């Protein structure tokens, strides 16, 4: 596949997720997919883990992935994106807040035989946890009840 084909594959991956079409992962993701930056809750390895993670996030935080930049070389695609959604359902250990969410990420996918086979990512998890109410915003003043 060309680098343009690889970029199109990654864009389609996020488009299918945004549309809630998790079954498309059977076509787009290799069965033995390796996620070097897995979600913070247990999922099985490989394609099934990708499907479970995105199903959980889709149900709890429906939204979109807006691709800001993409760079491809050889079998790798680097994507800088902003994910937006609403915390409409429970995440593991985090009850739904109804808060609007926005998180930036830089993701590297490796493609082999027309499928995603490996992923590394750097996400702004600190900002996400602030928006979910798990931690107070940085610089927030402690309440009088805080020791």
């Amino acid at each position: 596949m060309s680098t343009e084909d690889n970029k199109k594959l990654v864009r389609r991956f996020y488009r299918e997720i945004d549309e809630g079409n998790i079954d498309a992962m059977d076509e787009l993701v290799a069965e033995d997919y390796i996620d070097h930056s897995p979600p913070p809750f247990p999922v099985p390895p490989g394609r099934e883990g990708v499907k479970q993670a995105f199903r959980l996030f889709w149900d709890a935080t429906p939204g979109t992935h807006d691709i800001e930049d993409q760079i491809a070389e050889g079998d790798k695609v680097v994507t800088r994106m902003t994910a937006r959604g609403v915390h409409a359902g429970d995440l593991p250990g985090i009850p739904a807040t109804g808060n609007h969410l926005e998180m930036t990420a830089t993701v590297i996918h490796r493609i082999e035989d027309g499928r995603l086979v490996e992923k590394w990512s750097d996400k702004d998890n600190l900002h996400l946890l602030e928006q979910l109410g798990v931690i107070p915003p940085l610089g927030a003043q402690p309440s009088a009840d805080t020791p």
Side-chain angles (χ1 to χ4, degrees):
M1 290 178 65
S2 71
T3 55
E4 277 307 307
D5 290 335
N6 289 344
K7 287 167 44 174
K8 286 178 188 176
L9 174 67
V10 172
R11 287 193 300 269
R12 180 175 171 216
F13 172 76
Y14 288 110
R15 188 173 59 250
E16 297 289 1
I17 290 167
D18 290 350
E19 293 172 3
N21 187 8
I22 304 303
D23 291 335
M25 300 305 111
D26 292 336
E27 178 186 345
L28 303 173
V29 177
E31 189 172 341
D32 58 350
Y33 179 85
I34 299 170
D35 187 345
H36 296 281
S37 312
F41 47 84
V43 294
R47 180 191 309 142
E48 191 54 38
V50 172
K51 291 169 75 172
Q52 283 187 21
F54 279 116
R55 187 173 294 114
L56 183 134
F57 279 112
W58 172 254
D59 290 344
T61 61
T64 60
H65 295 82
D66 297 318
I67 294 176
E68 313 291 348
D69 290 303
Q70 265 191 327
I71 301 167
E73 184 174 323
D75 63 352
K76 292 189 178 77
V77 176
V78 179
T79 304
R80 184 177 67 84
M81 74 175 89
T82 304
R84 293 177 177 88
V86 175
H87 187 205
D90 295 346
L91 288 167
I94 308 171
T97 62
N99 292 349
H100 289 272
L101 306 174
E102 182 174 295
M103 181 178 72
T104 58
T106 303
V107 183
I108 302 171
H109 283 100
R110 188 171 71 80
I111 291 100
E112 188 177 287
D113 298 325
R115 290 188 175 183
L116 304 173
V117 295
E118 213 167 352
K119 181 203 88 172
W120 299 261
S121 64
D122 184 20
K123 303 174 203 103
D124 188 359
N125 288 319
L126 179 61
H127 186 58
L128 178 64
L129 292 173
E130 290 173 341
Q131 295 171 83
L132 293 170
V134 173
I135 61 172
L138 290 178
Q141 297 298 317
S143 71
D145 298 336
T146 305

